[in-house]
Amino acid sequence: MCTYSCRVYITLIHPPPLLAHFLCLFRSVCLPIPARRGMPQTACPAAGTMFTPTGFSPHLAICSDADTEEEEGPRESPGPGAWPSDGPPITSASLDTLIQHLVPTTDYYPEKAYVFTFLLSARLFISPPELLARLCETCIKQQHLDQSPLDTAKVRKFGPKILQLLTEWTETFPTDFREEKMVGLFKDIIHRIAPCDEAYWKTLNQVLQTLNQKLAAITQGEESIVRVNTSSVSSISDKLVAFKAKPPPIQKDMLSICHDPYTLAQQLTHVELEHLSNIGPEEFVQAFVQKDPLDSSQPCFSDQKKTTNLEAYVRWFNRLCYLVATEICMPAKKKQRAQVIEFFIDVARECFNIGNFNSLMAIISGMNMSPVSRLKKTWGKAKTAKFFILEHQMDPTGNFYNYRTALRGAAHRSQTANSNREKIVIPFFSLLIKDIYFLNEGCANRLPNGHVHFAKFVELARQVGEFMTWKQIECPFETDRSILHYLHTAPIFSEDGLYLASYESESPENQVEKDRWKALRYDRYHRETL
């Protein structure tokens, strides 16, 4: 018998419209959180290091809000050459100063950690096209690219650096270049330096070809998400409840499709990694952005952007929760329900061993939903010792201390792994989103003097950067189309359908349950007679 209550709703005070829309997707997320326990909050860290897909940078240290508001004011680096090794790390600065640090010169190139951090966070204050336009304008003035003749020797020192910066931008944030203006600005700056070395044109064409391939893959992934979402929504049905007594021959269940827990865990990992691969780092910022209070002329940039892939991943988590609960509540016989419970416990254990914590939590959450947890006779038939061990690993006590410890272990294994199977790290996504949300809420984007609170965005980039590293892992397991098709399209009960199936499996025990069962049966009868 499960010891935890099943439903937790993430409630926020006055969230921005896009955030409210995003968080409503969490309504169906079932977390094994003890009753009356609040959501643990993640404070803005006091210290840390920057982690990007290219590795660690020891220079970008985090500071607390208090450190950034000392009497002498926020610190700024005196120039590009002082970032970051020639001076203290920037904790806050004006937007203009931060943009200047992004601009390469003949003898300066910003560290990759800084490039990732600033390109990720700058969209909160300036749109990518406007940022690129200012970057190009500064480069043209500094390198005198609007004059003729050009200083060939100087341009040949500067050219590779601007090409490298723009290449990094296209690789890390390819969707920024869906706008024709971005590509036009890219071509224009290369057109200005190309007379000094024709190889720049060749490099530009290679970068744009790779960019187009990435954008085509992203578009294909988004179209696939739409198809999967359509089939998933249409699969929500309570008609299956009527079949509990005599299931028709065409009615399938998970055990008839896959009876090996390890195989199902592998296919769940396929789904998880496919979703992860579609999520861009900018979606984490766009999900929680509010209008910049210092910009009264333009609407919030992110209002025009989407968090399609991020939202789809949350929907997948919810679907898996309900699929697990449906599979348990569906069988008419107690012995069969107990077998399904034991099967999913083994699947959850295999997910843990693989490093697939998101599917692990979805399975545990589905088994902790009230319609499932109330089946006392069924749970009494099942062997649940392994389930309680897994619950302990995902216990929310101490801000999910046990889970975070296991996640660090998986991340360390991934860094030292010799095979792709050992590199897999799939975090509990809802908790990652919560961490980022509380980081955003706990630290202001700007300080009272109007400077950008850059220390906050270093920590944001660290969290997002880790995720970007994990999402690049290719799934090493073979694909089983029949199992994947079932995971995406198998009918699932709504919440009312789950309760109805649960009450028909094991009769209501108290007056509240009896009244609810009566109301659900009346509603079903009323719908069927219409």
Side-chain angles (χ1 to χ4, degrees):
M1 177 63 185
C2 301
T3 57
Y4 294 114
S5 60
C6 76
R7 294 180 65 83
V8 170
Y9 296 91
I10 298 180
T11 304
L12 305 170
I13 300 176
H14 304 304
L18 179 59
L19 176 58
H21 167 67
F22 171 71
L23 287 175
C24 75
L25 295 171
F26 287 93
R27 293 183 58 213
S28 301
V29 176
C30 307
L31 302 178
I33 295 180
R36 300 182 185 176
R37 178 174 296 167
M39 290 295 291
Q41 297 190 8
T42 304
C44 185
T49 56
M50 177 62 208
F51 183 84
T52 75
T54 59
F56 287 96
S57 170
H59 306 293
L60 299 180
I62 306 296
C63 73
S64 65
D65 285 346
D67 294 334
T68 64
E69 298 185 47
E70 298 175 344
E71 291 183 2
E72 64 269 19
R75 294 175 293 181
E76 288 195 31
S77 181
W83 177 271
S85 57
D86 295 341
I90 293 180
T91 58
S92 68
S94 66
L95 182 61
D96 290 340
T97 298
L98 295 175
I99 294 176
Q100 183 62 43
H101 278 300
L102 185 68
V103 178
T105 65
T106 56
D107 55 2
Y108 164 78
Y109 187 82
E111 285 209 354
K112 289 185 177 181
Y114 179 80
V115 173
F116 178 72
T117 302
F118 185 65
L119 291 181
L120 176 68
S121 58
R123 63 198 66 238
L124 292 170
F125 312 100
I126 183 173
S127 70
E130 185 180 352
L131 174 60
L132 182 55
R134 290 184 59 176
L135 173 70
C136 293
E137 181 183 358
T138 303
C139 289
I140 292 170
K141 290 181 178 179
Q142 289 184 350
Q143 306 303 321
H144 305 293
L145 300 181
D146 54 349
Q147 298 180 7
S148 182
L150 296 174
D151 186 337
T152 301
K154 185 177 181 181
V155 171
R156 284 183 175 177
K157 290 183 179 180
F158 167 75
K161 292 183 175 64
I162 187 63
L163 267 171
Q164 180 182 349
L165 177 63
L166 295 178
T167 299
E168 286 186 36
W169 195 335
T170 62
E171 289 175 346
T172 311
F173 302 93
T175 56
D176 288 349
F177 290 82
R178 277 178 162 168
E179 298 190 38
E180 294 183 4
K181 183 178 180 181
M182 293 286 290
V183 177
L185 289 167
F186 192 171
K187 290 181 178 179
D188 177 72
I189 191 70
I190 303 305
H191 175 75
R192 293 176 181 273
I193 64 175
C196 297
D197 193 335
E198 292 185 359
Y200 296 150
W201 278 120
K202 182 179 180 180
T203 303
L204 170 65
N205 291 331
Q206 291 174 342
V207 171
L208 292 181
Q209 183 178 3
T210 302
L211 173 63
N212 289 332
Q213 292 173 349
K214 282 191 173 185
L215 291 177
I218 291 173
T219 300
Q220 184 178 2
E222 291 174 348
E223 292 173 350
S224 175
I225 286 174
V226 172
R227 291 194 298 270
V228 169
N229 286 342
T230 301
S231 60
S232 297
V233 171
S234 63
S235 68
I236 300 177
S237 173
D238 295 337
K239 293 181 180 180
L240 292 175
V241 177
F243 298 147
K244 280 182 62 63
K246 296 181 179 180
I250 61 171
Q251 180 62 40
K252 295 181 179 181
D253 56 34
M254 179 60 76
L255 287 176
S256 68
I257 302 297
C258 176
H259 55 79
D260 178 30
Y262 185 52
T263 300
L264 180 55
Q266 290 178 337
Q267 300 311 303
L268 288 172
T269 303
H270 262 293
V271 177
E272 300 282 353
L273 288 176
E274 181 179 4
H275 275 286
L276 293 189
S277 67
N278 292 327
I279 298 175
E282 69 281 356
E283 292 195 42
F284 291 96
V285 175
Q286 289 160 189
F288 300 110
V289 67
Q290 299 187 50
K291 180 176 173 61
D292 184 359
L294 296 186
D295 182 3
S296 59
S297 60
Q298 296 179 351
C300 175
F301 166 65
S302 293
D303 286 346
Q304 291 103 40
K305 305 297 283 187
K306 296 181 179 179
T307 54
T308 305
N309 300 304
L310 198 146
E311 294 174 12
Y313 194 30
V314 175
R315 282 193 292 268
W316 154 250
F317 181 92
N318 292 344
R319 172 174 170 77
L320 183 55
C321 291
Y322 274 80
L323 179 61
V324 170
T326 298
E327 293 286 331
I328 295 174
C329 291
M330 185 60 203
K333 296 183 179 179
K334 177 173 55 180
K335 181 179 180 180
Q336 293 174 330
R337 294 194 298 274
Q339 289 175 344
V340 176
I341 288 176
E342 292 175 356
F343 173 74
F344 277 112
I345 291 174
D346 289 336
V347 173
R349 182 185 62 177
E350 296 298 345
C351 286
F352 180 85
N353 293 335
I354 289 173
N356 181 356
F357 296 103
N358 201 56
S359 290
L360 166 63
M361 179 57 90
I363 293 171
I364 293 177
S365 300
M367 299 176 77
N368 271 320
M369 294 182 73
S370 294
V372 178
S373 63
R374 65 167 299 277
L375 299 175
K376 296 180 181 179
K377 296 178 182 178
T378 301
W379 281 93
K381 275 276 187 181
K383 300 176 182 178
T384 57
K386 291 179 289 186
F387 179 66
F388 295 134
I389 293 174
L390 292 172
E391 274 196 322
H392 176 71
Q393 290 292 337
M394 305 304 287
D395 187 347
T397 301
N399 197 10
F400 287 87
Y401 176 82
N402 293 340
Y403 157 71
R404 295 183 191 275
T405 301
L407 182 66
R408 286 196 298 272
H412 177 73
R413 180 186 68 178
S414 178
Q415 293 173 358
T416 59
N418 296 319
S419 67
N420 280 346
R421 293 194 177 201
E422 295 177 333
K423 291 181 180 179
I424 297 173
V425 182
I426 303 174
F428 173 29
F429 194 66
S430 297
L431 185 59
L432 174 62
I433 292 295
K434 182 189 71 67
D435 286 346
I436 293 175
Y437 170 77
F438 281 118
L439 170 64
N440 183 64
E441 289 296 296
C443 303
N445 291 341
R446 290 186 185 267
L447 300 180
N449 63 0
H451 283 192
V452 175
H453 188 181
F454 195 71
K456 165 185 176 177
F457 298 117
V458 173
E459 173 60 16
L460 173 65
R462 183 194 67 79
Q463 295 188 27
V464 175
E466 284 183 336
F467 174 84
M468 294 298 294
T469 300
W470 297 333
K471 82 170 206 143
Q472 295 174 9
I473 304 299
E474 292 188 8
C475 189
F477 307 121
E478 294 185 5
T479 300
D480 189 313
R481 296 294 179 186
S482 61
I483 297 177
L484 292 177
H485 179 75
Y486 187 86
L487 289 172
H488 288 305
T489 63
I492 58 175
F493 291 145
S494 66
E495 184 176 15
D496 286 345
L498 284 173
Y499 273 108
L500 191 56
S502 178
Y503 293 146
E504 292 187 358
S505 295
E506 295 186 18
S507 299
E509 295 184 339
N510 53 55
Q511 192 59 45
V512 173
E513 290 189 344
K514 291 178 181 179
D515 292 341
R516 181 164 193 172
W517 187 28
K518 181 179 179 181
L520 290 173
R521 294 176 67 184
Y522 175 81
D523 290 342
R524 185 183 68 173
Y525 174 80
H526 183 67
R527 289 197 304 267
E528 290 175 351
T529 56
L530 290 179

